[in-house]
Amino acid sequence: MVLGLRSALGSDVGRRRTSNQDSGATTGRLLIVADGMGGHAHGEIASATTVSVFTELEARLPQDLSDIDLAAELTEALNDATDRLARRAADEPEMRGMGTTVVSLLLTGDQLALAHIGDSRIYLLRGGELSRLTHDHTMVQQLVDQGQITLEEAAHHPRRSVLMRALSTDHAPDPDLDRVDILAGDRYLLCSDGVTAVLDDDALHRELASGAEPDQVVTRLIALANEGGGPDNITAIVADVVEIDDLDGPGQDLRIAGAVAEIATAD
């Protein structure tokens, strides 16, 4: 049985921001969300550049990835994005310090190669159970890991958005890399913290397990995040693992949303 991805992508500025610094993209085998760092110069450039680097990587990879070192390829893509941002900042000093989170999945056979930096997240719904595949690179998550605060306290901590790791102009990326075995019927959510700052895991579980199509779930998640105050930009990808015969070819072409789409339109 050959497996593929049926996905949907959406991005929204939210209720309290004046611009969208999130970027996202999907193809038949790539899913990526990048959240430009709020409060930093030109986060939209950082997220859009990073997503563009990943879509370029996916386009040049061969169809058969069985002999490809995907951890090395994903690391090289992150390094490439960092180099591009650093060169841009060297030419335009006001862009120094720009950065972005990254969560990405790349399909290869019966696995997904995962890359993660920051506090955007990846969730898996399998057999009705929801699990999180990423671990936030935040100061608050570090305090939880050390037993200094509880998860409940972390959810309302005033510094919950302070990142310990991100892709930026200041240093080499330090990603978490993994491989995830996939099964037909799996459902994946990739999202920026504009989703998870408002919706807890119970709410995410309810929406992902609703039986609705990926595009309907994405629309619903964005609406709920906005109803909850929309404190940040909101970007979500929902992807179902299906047998390849169930895929619609044209529907799996490159799709982009958020800052990367706005910049492409402006150009």
Side-chain angles (χ1 to χ4, degrees), residues 182-205:
I182 61 174
L183 298 173
D186 285 350
R187 171 165 280 186
Y188 290 85
L189 168 66
L190 290 75
C191 62
S192 64
D193 68 342
V195 175
T196 54
V198 177
L199 304 179
D200 62 16
D201 286 4
D202 288 341
L204 296 178
H205 190 185

Side-chain angles (χ1 to χ4, degrees), residues 29 61-70 106-111 179:
R29 59 180 179 175
L61 285 173
Q63 191 64 35
D64 183 1
L65 299 178
S66 57
D67 294 327
I68 303 296
D69 184 345
L70 289 179
L106 182 61
L107 177 66
T108 169
D110 57 359
Q111 290 187 320
R179 289 284 194 117

Side-chain angles (χ1 to χ4, degrees), residues 153-232:
E153 291 169 332
H156 304 286
H157 196 284
R159 304 193 71 186
R160 60 187 176 274
S161 296
V162 176
L163 295 176
M164 303 301 291
R165 277 195 259 170
L167 189 152
S168 76
T169 61
D170 300 330
H171 49 74
D174 182 19
D176 290 343
L177 301 170
D178 203 357
R179 289 284 194 117
V180 183
D181 293 329
I182 61 174
L183 298 173
D186 285 350
R187 171 165 280 186
Y188 290 85
L189 168 66
L190 290 75
C191 62
S192 64
D193 68 342
V195 175
T196 54
V198 177
L199 304 179
D200 62 16
D201 286 4
D202 288 341
L204 296 178
H205 190 185
R206 182 174 61 251
E207 297 306 321
L208 292 169
S210 66
E213 290 297 313
D215 60 338
Q216 296 172 312
V217 178
V218 166
T219 299
R220 178 72 174 159
L221 290 173
I222 291 173
L224 288 172
N226 274 322
E227 288 172 14
D232 203 348

